[in-house]
Amino acid sequence: MNANAIVQKLWRLCTVLRKDGITYQQYVTELTYLLFLKMMAERNREEGNIPPEYRWAALVKAEPLHKLKLYRNALTALGDPEGSLPRMVQAIFDNASTFIREPQNLTTLVTAIDELDWFSEERDQFGDLYEGLLQKNAEETKRGAGQYFTPRVLIEVLVRLMKPKPGEVIQDPAAGTGGFLIAADKVMREATDDYFTLGTKEQEFQKHQAIHGMENVPGTLRLLLMNLYLHDLDSDHVDLGDTLSDKGKTLGKADLILTNPPFGPAGGAPTRDDLSVTATVSSYQLPFVEHCIRALKPGGRAAIVLPDNVLFEDGRGKELRRMMMDWCDLHTILRLPTGIFYAQGVKTNVIFLTRGKTETGNTDDVWIYDLRAQMPKFGKTNHLTDAHFTAFEEAFGSDENGTERGEEQGVEGRWRCFTREEISARGDNLDISWLRELEEEAEEGLIEPEDIAAAIQAHLQAAMLEIEALSAELEETTLAEAPEAGE
């Protein structure tokens, strides 16, 4: 049975557990615990990781009433921070508890997992299976998972264009469930026969040093660690923490950053002392961009998913864009279609940049590809595919630093070049569009209540971001004009 078939079968079991009041996200968390135990048994890795009394075989054999008690005890014991189990096991089961109340429901789930054929003749299916479950969860939940789950097709496009290479440190400071890190590792494995063509030292680096990430939500970190482990990736440099706090400094310098940071209010300004440009900004997206600029090594590159306001916001937003174009070669902006993040009204972009060796004058031209205007409505029933990105990939060219370009298409096309002087004349506003975007007509065509609500919410969020930016700018002006003590 292939991974897709397994995903569909396991997902259908969620309807059984809904009787226990379990949500989709709780179901995926529950599956994470059970699949981890099953995986350890399948891969013969229980020794040293899972005490005998809590192993999969013991759970399968237990009677229904005892099974639920055994399972609850296992979750507590495996996540005990005072225990002697490996860090990865403790992290996955940290503060774990089951949402299942009916013993028969646990029996149904354990039996179904135990009876599935997990392995194809050629390769382990666990990684594909788990990512499939994460994607189903994101598709079903407009909030929660959908906020941090980047569409797989977009991840694969960005990884292809950025060309991760063995020996590079690859970082995602807002790692979510690990999509970017895993996709980058997959590309490098395919290029090196699963790293077998590398020397011993190089193999060790790839398995234990190459991947760096941080995630601020404990429940999401659990899914991230499970995803990494199922893809045979070490998680020593993936940690729980706020990237915008001092802990974010521990991520270190990177050769490549791939990330989709959170959008919206952050509940306060960054607490890191090195984020000087965005020190007073109380939203996520601007400080995360400054982190990426500062975290890149000279010559390092990044692809960052961002909302529209980063491209046009005044005050600190404008100062950040100037820093970005001075310190880096901001060579490409991709205007993404709406609806691809499971919410119709959210407007996003991808910025592609390369860190310069100096901190002045690194951007000469910015190329912009408009994949938003005059595009079909995307959503749950109309998915974005690789084919939608084909023309952009051809225009971007084969060089990851944007030095090989397709021909400029002018005002009638999607691909245009703007000089640094032209951008400066616009007040360093990078929110540039030239094709007519019939947004109003597109929103008039929405019929699903959840899509209509998402469009309204996106408009309100954009308005709130502008209000926050204006408030911050006014506050800075007030502080600057206030007389110093003793005057």
Side-chain angles (χ1 to χ4, degrees):
M1 183 181 294
N2 63 32
N4 287 336
I6 294 175
V7 167
Q8 293 299 329
K9 184 166 184 177
L10 284 178
W11 201 251
R12 285 195 295 270
L13 288 174
C14 185
T15 58
V16 175
L17 297 186
R18 294 301 289 271
K19 296 177 182 178
D20 245 351
I22 293 177
T23 67
Y24 288 117
Q25 182 136 359
Q26 289 170 341
Y27 178 55
V28 170
T29 301
E30 208 77 60
L31 281 177
T32 298
Y33 304 144
L34 293 170
L35 289 175
F36 184 83
L37 295 174
K38 174 63 173 175
M39 177 200 66
M40 284 295 186
E42 291 282 355
R43 290 180 165 180
N44 296 316
R45 295 181 182 176
E46 292 174 311
E47 191 66 36
N49 288 308
I50 309 295
E53 63 269 29
Y54 301 129
R55 292 177 183 174
W56 183 254
L59 189 62
V60 171
K61 293 176 183 177
E63 294 298 319
L65 286 175
H66 181 61
K67 194 190 302 286
L68 183 55
K69 182 178 180 181
L70 175 64
Y71 179 53
R72 286 171 175 161
N73 290 341
L75 297 183
T76 301
L78 296 176
D80 183 3
E82 303 297 325
S84 59
L85 296 178
R87 168 189 172 273
M88 181 269 301
V89 176
Q90 292 179 358
I92 287 179
F93 289 92
D94 181 49
N95 288 318
S97 61
T98 181
F99 303 102
I100 298 174
R101 300 191 302 267
E102 294 294 329
Q104 186 54 48
N105 287 340
L106 176 62
T107 298
T108 300
L109 197 52
V110 169
T111 301
I113 291 173
D114 193 56
E115 291 177 349
L116 288 173
D117 178 14
W118 293 102
F119 296 89
S120 67
E121 295 179 359
E122 297 181 357
R123 64 183 296 265
D124 190 334
Q125 295 285 301
F126 271 113
D128 292 342
L129 158 71
Y130 195 68
E131 285 205 271
L133 288 169
L134 294 177
Q135 183 165 349
K136 289 289 290 183
N137 187 29
E139 290 172 354
E140 294 293 342
T141 53
K142 293 290 183 180
R143 297 180 180 272
Q147 291 180 342
Y148 57 75
F149 189 94
T150 308
R152 194 63 47 206
V153 61
L154 179 60
I155 288 175
E156 292 172 354
V157 167
L158 300 187
V159 169
R160 282 200 300 270
L161 293 175
M162 289 291 95
K163 294 181 170 58
K165 299 174 180 62
E168 293 185 325
V169 173
I170 299 169
Q171 180 191 124
D172 186 347
T177 56
F180 279 118
L181 299 176
I182 289 165
D185 177 72
K186 181 180 179 182
V187 166
M188 293 185 290
R189 286 179 185 271
E190 290 174 348
T192 59
D193 189 23
D194 203 24
Y195 297 139
F196 284 115
T197 61
L198 302 179
T200 302
K201 184 181 292 186
E202 289 78 12
Q203 288 183 27
E204 285 299 304
F205 176 86
Q206 289 306 126
K207 292 180 179 179
H208 303 293
Q209 301 292 330
I211 300 300
H212 292 238
M214 189 163 287
E215 172 52 46
N216 197 32
V217 180
T220 308
L221 180 73
R222 192 192 317 279
L223 305 182
L224 166 62
L225 294 176
M226 180 68 168
N227 208 7
L228 292 175
Y229 196 73
L230 289 175
H231 286 87
D232 199 25
L233 274 171
D234 186 273
S235 60
D236 282 354
H237 297 286
V238 176
D239 204 357
L240 177 70
D242 179 6
T243 300
L244 304 183
S245 72
D246 280 340
K247 192 166 186 179
K249 296 178 184 178
T250 63
L251 282 167
K253 298 292 185 179
D255 298 286
L256 173 60
I257 293 177
L258 297 161
T259 190
N260 175 14
F263 308 160
T271 56
R272 277 173 59 170
D273 57 11
D274 62 331
L275 300 182
S276 58
V277 175
T278 59
T280 61
V281 177
S282 296
S283 63
Y284 286 110
Q285 54 269 27
L286 295 178
F288 262 98
V289 173
E290 184 172 359
H291 163 82
C292 292
I293 294 170
R294 294 184 180 277
L296 283 174
K297 300 177 182 178
R301 59 205 187 281
I304 311 168
V305 182
L306 295 168
D308 273 11
N309 78 293
V310 176
L311 303 183
F312 64 75
E313 189 173 294
D314 282 330
R316 291 296 183 177
K318 180 187 289 188
E319 190 176 342
L320 179 68
R321 291 193 298 277
R322 288 174 177 167
M323 175 191 184
M324 181 164 49
M325 289 185 282
D326 280 341
W327 290 34
C328 305
D329 177 13
L330 173 62
H331 53 82
T332 309
I333 298 175
L334 170 63
R335 292 170 62 85
L336 290 169
T338 56
I340 66 173
F341 287 94
Y342 308 107
Q344 282 289 341
V346 176
K347 293 182 178 180
T348 53
N349 312 267
V350 183
I351 61 171
F352 299 84
L353 49 86
T354 302
R355 175 71 187 267
K357 295 181 179 179
T358 64
E359 295 179 2
T360 57
N362 280 290
T363 299
D364 294 323
D365 304 295
V366 178
W367 288 75
I368 301 178
Y369 194 95
D370 192 341
L371 194 60
R372 181 184 305 168
Q374 301 174 13
M375 290 291 287
K377 297 186 293 291
F378 293 101
K380 190 174 177 181
T381 57
N382 183 27
H383 296 288
L384 199 65
T385 67
D386 260 339
H388 291 111
F389 289 96
T390 300
F392 167 64
E393 292 189 66
E394 291 174 356
F396 186 96
S398 59
D399 181 73
E400 61 268 30
N401 294 306
T403 61
E404 299 176 8
R405 298 302 197 178
E407 185 177 350
E408 216 236 28
Q409 298 173 0
V411 295
E412 300 298 322
R414 296 187 180 275
W415 183 232
R416 294 189 64 188
C417 178
F418 297 87
T419 66
R420 182 68 184 88
E421 291 74 20
E422 289 174 315
I423 293 168
S424 180
R426 292 174 47 86
D428 292 317
N429 185 325
L430 291 167
D431 187 28
I432 304 173
S433 60
W434 57 95
L435 296 173
R436 289 300 86 201
E437 183 181 355
L438 303 179
E439 179 184 339
E440 293 79 8
E441 293 183 15
E443 291 190 358
E444 285 176 4
L446 300 179
I447 57 175
E448 294 294 332
E450 59 186 10
D451 288 337
I452 294 171
I456 294 171
Q457 183 181 25
H459 288 302
L460 292 173
Q461 184 184 48
M464 285 301 299
L465 290 172
E466 293 187 49
I467 292 170
E468 287 172 13
L470 179 60
S471 298
E473 192 171 358
L474 290 173
E475 183 178 347
E476 289 177 26
T477 302
T478 302
L479 290 173
E481 294 176 349
E484 293 185 7
E487 287 189 3

